[in-house]
Amino acid sequence: MASSFVYVTFIRTTPDKLWTALTEREFTEKYWFGAHLVSDWKTGSAWKIIMKDGRVADTGELLEIDPPRRMVIKWRNEFMPELKAEGYSRCVFDIEQMGDACKLTISHSIEKDHSKFVEAVSGGWPRILSNLKSLLETGKVALPDSP
Amino acid sequence: MDDDAVFKALADRSRRLLLDRLYRNNGQSLGDLCEGLSMSRQAVAKHLGILEEANLVAVQWAGREKLHFINPVPINQISERWIGKFELPRMRVLSDLKVALEKKPRK
């Protein structure tokens, strides 16, 4: 049995703006608790998340990328041995335009029962997505820092 | 998404029960969710439809099976709007207080 979570948020923006917000540092630092992503955004490329303090949070590979619609990432935690031991997870970003808004679906799963990794990311995603929505719709985030 | 739809969807015991069940075991089919419930399959399907409309439940297809996942994002937005922005400064005051008190030499 796999462990998985699916998050959906509707954001009043365009697919291009949302894509930029998901991939570029000047945006991610504002809503992803100061983190930024490093990659050249091509299929097969390496990918990593650098936290505010410079530590590498997660690493992996872009399995599929189709801007501004879809991105599939092979994703492993790096800084917590217990989570790293669970190996790679799969995170899929889907962007679908619906009228004047975009539906962003993030599904994150790992082939493991009661995964600690999925439990850990499931605490982070809702806050990151709420911040992302606020940033794109109002230019501000509600909770800029990680509690 | 519409806050009204979220509150309306949450204002029902059976729908909250379905969310509790998804929280415990995410990604269930309609059949899984009906197990052990006194509600009819039709009633469960109708409640799931309302939860989906409110974006509290996200669905994904696994082959021919429609799986339901709890989507915490709308509840998180409500929490940040009315709780987070009050709670966070209070937590900071408490942690600042702790730091300040622990710095003081004890008598």
Side-chain angles (χ1 to χ4, degrees), chain A:
Chain A
M1 256 297 268
S3 303
S4 44
F5 259 95
V6 180
Y7 308 96
V8 177
T9 186
F10 293 83
I11 304 178
R12 281 186 299 277
T13 188
T14 63
D16 286 320
K17 281 187 189 152
L18 181 50
W19 188 269
T20 304
L22 287 172
T23 51
E24 287 186 12
R25 181 172 184 164
E26 73 173 285
F27 290 94
T28 61
E29 279 185 334
K30 287 187 187 135
Y31 69 85
W32 203 317
F33 310 126
H36 69 277
L37 315 178
V38 180
S39 179
D40 64 5
W41 307 108
K42 291 187 190 106
T43 302
S45 294
W47 165 98
K48 61 184 172 182
I49 303 183
I50 311 288
M51 289 187 284
K52 200 177 184 175
D53 61 8
R55 279 185 298 165
V56 176
D58 309 80
T59 61
E61 182 190 327
L62 290 169
L63 299 174
E64 206 183 312
I65 185 161
D66 176 20
R69 279 177 292 271
R70 186 175 160 88
M71 179 155 59
V72 182
I73 303 175
K74 193 171 141 185
W75 181 317
R76 186 180 71 184
N77 180 277
E78 293 294 338
F79 73 104
M80 293 174 79
E82 194 183 33
L83 303 185
K84 185 172 179 170
E86 290 191 356
Y88 284 100
S89 63
R90 179 183 159 93
C91 186
V92 183
F93 293 73
D94 276 304
I95 297 172
E96 201 183 326
Q97 187 156 17
M98 297 179 91
D100 64 350
C102 287
K103 178 184 184 183
L104 170 65
T105 305
I106 295 183
S107 39
H108 209 152
S109 58
I110 193 164
E111 289 302 322
K112 191 180 186 309
D113 247 350
H114 309 294
S115 158
K116 290 239 164 32
F117 172 76
V118 162
E119 195 185 308
V121 295
S122 72
W125 276 126
R127 281 182 285 142
I128 293 168
L129 292 178
S130 294
N131 274 347
L132 170 63
K133 180 178 164 72
S134 305
L135 179 68
L136 287 171
E137 292 184 350
T138 69
K140 283 184 291 210
V141 300
L143 301 173
D145 298 315
S146 179

Side-chain angles (χ1 to χ4, degrees), chain B residues 30-93:
Chain B
L30 175 59
D32 299 332
L33 280 165
C34 287
E35 246 171 70
L37 286 183
S38 51
M39 275 183 280
S40 70
R41 194 180 168 90
Q42 287 78 0
V44 174
K46 198 183 147 206
H47 285 312
L48 285 174
I50 293 168
L51 289 167
E52 205 184 319
E53 274 293 296
N55 196 27
L56 290 166
V57 160
V59 297
Q60 293 231 312
W61 289 90
R64 290 172 58 193
E65 213 174 23
K66 188 180 182 183
L67 301 179
H68 302 80
F69 293 84
I70 182 168
N71 181 31
V73 180
I75 297 176
N76 186 71
Q77 271 157 229
I78 288 170
S79 142
E80 281 181 5
R81 179 169 167 184
W82 284 293
I83 302 164
K85 59 187 170 195
F86 301 112
E87 206 60 37
L88 205 61
R90 199 173 301 150
M91 295 301 167
R92 289 215 179 103
V93 169

